[in-house]
Amino acid sequence: CNLQPKDAAKMPESAWKLLFYTLSWSYGIYLLFFTDYPFFYDPPSVFYDWKKGMDVPTDIAIAYLLQCSFYGHSIYATAYMDTWRKDSIVMLLHHVVTLTLIAFSYAFRGAGGGCLRAGGCAGGAALGLTPPPGPLNPPCSLCPGRFWFRLYWFPLKVLYATCYSSLQSVPNIPFYFFFNALLLVLTLMNIYWFLYIVLFVAKVLMGQMQEVNDVREYDVEDSKK
């Protein structure tokens, strides 16, 4: 494709993440909108009839297996394989938090909430063809989908269900503060990455960028340091 060497080096990372997130988001959409699960339209239903040790449907268990294996690999990939960026430390933290949420929510049978997050909210950022939570790969990240899914639907659907509805259905639900603290950390990270997009837009509008670049990338001199 006549890519510059710098861009060619990042191509495998971007292509892999685009492929995975597109497929995983599509599967999440299938679970939320093309099955009998009411999670998206009725988020409190995640906790209806909840009990310890309840069975997890096979199709949701498959989604958990895929997400868990991906984020387990992503911890290693971010540290040793991907291009190191200004937000790579935050990216590592994101993967650790997400993997913890995936494992614990499966173990304590909060699988419906995990399905809601992966399909309708977090993974929805792939609509902009941007691997959530990044690389930013402008201008695709300017798609309103990133704001809509991560800063609107995520609090409206996921946080509402876990922070409020869970206590209404299961007053003594285990690890309430643990799960919600991690979800709030993810929310702060979503705001953090959205600010990068705002910074990019501001630089473009003010004429400070002659070409489209990822604002998280280090300058050449910074990279040498």
Side-chain angles (χ1 to χ4, degrees):
C1 298
N2 296 321
L3 294 174
Q4 297 296 322
K6 178 182 177 182
D7 296 325
K10 292 184 292 184
M11 181 63 182
E13 173 193 350
S14 297
W16 156 243
K17 289 182 177 179
L18 174 61
L19 173 64
F20 175 82
Y21 281 116
T22 300
L23 294 176
S24 65
W25 176 78
S26 299
Y27 186 60
I29 291 299
Y30 161 75
L31 291 176
L32 290 179
F33 298 105
F34 296 94
T35 63
D36 295 329
Y37 300 123
F39 304 141
F40 185 81
Y41 298 107
D42 185 19
S45 65
V46 169
F47 298 100
Y48 293 167
D49 301 322
W50 180 92
K51 60 182 179 180
K52 294 181 180 179
M54 62 188 294
D55 293 334
V56 177
T58 302
D59 49 3
I60 292 181
I62 291 173
Y64 263 75
L65 177 62
L66 294 174
Q67 294 287 336
C68 190
S69 59
F70 173 78
Y71 281 104
H73 161 74
S74 294
I75 294 174
Y76 173 85
T78 301
Y80 299 107
M81 298 174 62
D82 297 345
T83 300
W84 194 257
R85 300 177 176 88
K86 297 175 183 178
D87 67 334
S88 292
I89 294 296
V90 181
M91 188 76 74
L92 278 172
L93 177 61
H94 171 274
H95 295 337
V96 172
V97 170
T98 302
L99 186 60
T100 302
L101 279 168
I102 292 172
F104 274 79
S105 67
Y106 184 86
F108 292 97
R109 299 306 189 253
C115 175
L116 180 61
R117 178 193 175 274
C121 300
L127 275 180
L129 300 184
T130 304
L136 288 180
N137 297 331
C140 294
S141 293
L142 301 183
C143 175
R146 190 174 185 88
F147 173 84
W148 185 257
F149 285 101
R150 288 183 164 263
L151 297 181
Y152 178 70
W153 269 358
F154 183 78
L156 183 66
K157 301 290 186 178
V158 178
L159 294 184
Y160 172 75
T162 59
C163 293
Y164 176 74
S165 302
S166 60
L167 291 180
Q168 305 302 311
S169 300
V170 190
N172 297 318
I173 191 168
F175 296 96
Y176 172 83
F177 292 103
F178 173 75
F179 282 117
N180 284 292
L182 293 183
L183 287 171
L184 289 174
V185 169
L186 288 184
T187 303
L188 293 176
M189 292 182 186
N190 290 337
I191 296 173
Y192 169 79
W193 276 302
F194 182 72
L195 292 177
Y196 267 113
I197 297 177
V198 173
L199 176 62
F200 170 79
V201 173
K203 286 189 174 183
V204 171
L205 294 178
M206 297 174 63
Q208 297 180 5
M209 297 182 67
Q210 300 300 321
E211 58 182 10
V212 177
N213 290 314
D214 191 337
V215 294
R216 303 170 312 141
E217 297 284 359
Y218 288 105
D219 295 333
V220 176
E221 293 184 1
D222 292 335
S223 298
K224 293 180 179 179
K225 294 179 182 180

